[in-house]
Amino acid sequence: MNLNSYPWHIEQWEQLMTAHQNGRMPHGLLLSGPSGTGIEDFSVKIAAKLLCDNAENSQACGECQSCLLFTSGNHPDLYKVEPEEPGKQIKVEPIRGLIEFTQLTSQYSSYKIAIIQPADAMNRNSSNALLKTLEEPAGNVVLMLVSSRPSKLPVTIRSRCQQIQFHKATEEIGKRWLMESSDIDTVRCNEIWNMAQGKPLYALELLESDLALQQSQIIKDLRGLLEQGADFMQIAQKWHEYGATEVFHWLVYLIALMTRLKLTGQSDTAKLQNSQDLQQIINQLNLRQLVSSYDMARRHYQAVTGLYNLNQTGLLEDFLLFWQGQSSTGG
Ligand SMILES: [Zn+2]
């Protein structure tokens, strides 16, 4: 496990290091920003640094007793709360465990650190249970709430935390990091970077999984549907297997991109993945059609990531039908 902070997190890292050095480390921190930019890793790395024995280092040393405990996952002064499964709620029991943890004296270090990730997965009981600890924390406790959707947190929780805002990485920093972290050439790096929309960890995930292939296939499917040659049910089934959240997330980005290209009359799609497919779609649809498709993708994305369990297959088919319907009226 690499305990060094990411290069696009320098500003946030230094902000907290300054607070730490001045003995003004906040008790409650809300770390928020886009997913795929490594905010959770930031919380872990800053925890390692605060617990590290070698105070003079700017990052956790990785070698001291505390760092060894940390990397083995057994540090007694660190407590992590996550949902039992991704996408599920954080129930009240693990939060009660966290509260007990904060009430014990630290075993090893000067801090006791708890990380809740994603904090917006806490249900109402969990949030209520946490409130009191946030209001009256023990002297050396630091609670870090990680969330890419901080508006979903109760105001009472948000108002008791100092919010640290994270951002996407700049192209220069993000691409350099991606090249260093993987074994790819500049052409592939450009391609993946464009797909990852400024999110370096997401870029790495694209490289290491089937996601890049799936995204490319979605572009081909969109073109195929417009040209009437594609098998509707087969595509619906395939997109369902990809996952409605991923598909709509990608569609929102993709259609926004095509709309922008259409609007600016820019024909330079060459450096984008599937550039010929994209260009064909842009030529075939008018601006109004692109904008309504974007609206629908966005609405459905919000629906599948919202609080209610909606029929995801139904939403996918709804979008596909709408898209297919554009072929007869476009131009
Ligand atoms: Zn250390």
Side-chain angles (χ1 to χ4, degrees):
M1 183 188 189
N2 184 347
L3 295 176
N4 288 337
S5 61
Y6 295 127
W8 58 93
H9 286 163
I10 287 177
E11 186 191 321
Q12 293 84 348
W13 187 272
E14 286 181 351
Q15 184 184 346
L16 287 184
M17 279 305 105
T18 306
H20 161 63
Q21 280 151 10
N22 296 336
R24 288 189 293 101
M25 194 67 191
H27 290 297
L29 284 168
L30 172 55
L31 311 178
S32 66
S35 61
T37 58
I39 308 175
E40 186 194 359
D41 289 352
F42 178 93
S43 72
V44 170
K45 290 169 182 203
I46 204 97
K49 164 59 197 154
L50 294 175
L51 298 174
C52 173
D53 296 332
N54 285 317
E56 66 279 9
N57 292 25
S58 62
Q59 316 259 324
C61 75
E63 289 164 0
C64 69
Q65 180 67 22
S66 175
C67 284
L68 293 178
L69 280 170
F70 195 96
T71 47
S72 69
N74 294 314
H75 203 296
D77 297 322
L78 176 72
Y79 193 95
K80 282 179 82 176
V81 178
E82 288 169 337
E84 283 170 22
E85 286 174 55
K88 293 273 160 62
Q89 288 185 339
I90 292 176
K91 295 184 186 145
V92 74
E93 289 80 13
I95 297 293
R96 290 208 182 102
L98 180 157
I99 294 165
E100 260 172 50
F101 160 82
T102 63
Q103 289 162 348
L104 302 167
T105 47
S106 59
Q107 304 211 13
Y108 190 86
S109 318
S110 47
Y111 284 105
K112 290 184 75 67
I113 301 174
I115 298 172
I116 306 176
Q117 132 63 39
D120 49 80
M122 284 190 291
N123 64 25
R124 189 188 294 256
N125 282 344
S126 310
S127 300
N128 285 341
L130 184 69
L131 261 185
K132 200 162 168 52
T133 306
L134 269 177
E135 273 167 3
E136 301 162 15
N140 57 352
V141 168
V142 178
L143 297 173
M144 288 194 258
L145 282 63
V146 178
S147 174
S148 56
R149 298 185 295 175
S151 61
K152 303 235 171 210
L153 283 165
V155 179
T156 44
I157 295 274
R158 268 185 281 154
S159 64
R160 283 164 179 79
C161 294
Q162 181 176 332
Q163 191 160 355
I164 310 274
Q165 186 68 44
F166 290 76
H167 313 281
K168 293 179 177 182
T170 62
E171 185 168 348
E172 189 194 349
I173 291 176
K175 279 192 193 167
R176 194 189 309 136
W177 179 83
L178 195 58
M179 295 280 285
E180 285 165 6
S181 312
S182 57
D183 186 24
I184 51 172
D185 58 21
T186 44
V187 175
R188 185 74 179 134
C189 181
N190 279 333
E191 207 172 76
I192 290 287
W193 183 255
N194 286 327
M195 293 167 84
Q197 312 150 41
K199 303 170 175 182
L201 276 286
Y202 182 52
L204 205 57
E205 194 189 331
L206 285 173
L207 269 178
E208 290 169 353
S209 71
D210 296 333
L211 268 176
L213 280 176
Q214 292 176 3
Q215 296 192 342
S216 163
Q217 185 59 49
I218 288 172
I219 300 176
K220 288 185 196 146
D221 290 342
L222 288 174
R223 179 179 176 180
L225 280 168
L226 285 181
E227 292 175 353
Q228 308 271 11
D231 181 335
F232 181 91
M233 286 317 290
Q234 199 187 17
I235 292 176
Q237 174 64 28
K238 192 167 49 185
W239 285 18
H240 178 70
E241 282 161 20
Y242 293 168
T245 306
E246 280 299 334
V247 169
F248 282 123
H249 181 246
W250 177 234
L251 286 174
V252 168
Y253 167 74
L254 199 62
I255 303 173
L257 173 75
M258 292 194 284
T259 309
R260 203 160 57 238
L261 291 171
K262 182 93 183 174
L263 202 60
T264 55
Q266 200 182 328
S267 58
D268 181 25
T269 53
K271 70 171 189 170
L272 300 170
Q273 194 181 27
N274 297 80
S275 58
Q276 288 187 348
D277 296 317
L278 285 178
Q279 196 57 62
Q280 181 61 32
I281 297 171
I282 295 168
N283 292 344
Q284 197 166 342
L285 297 184
N286 62 38
L287 191 58
R288 185 182 49 76
Q289 290 174 309
L290 283 168
V291 170
S292 4
S293 305
Y294 171 80
D295 283 344
M296 179 177 265
R298 201 178 156 76
R299 262 200 323 277
H300 287 4
Y301 176 69
Q302 282 165 349
V304 294
T305 54
L307 289 171
Y308 307 103
N309 280 324
L310 293 164
N311 176 357
Q312 303 205 336
T313 311
L315 290 172
L316 282 171
E317 287 177 7
D318 188 41
F319 178 85
L320 284 167
L321 263 180
F322 178 82
W323 183 266
Q324 196 177 37
Q326 304 307 308
S327 60
S328 48
T329 52

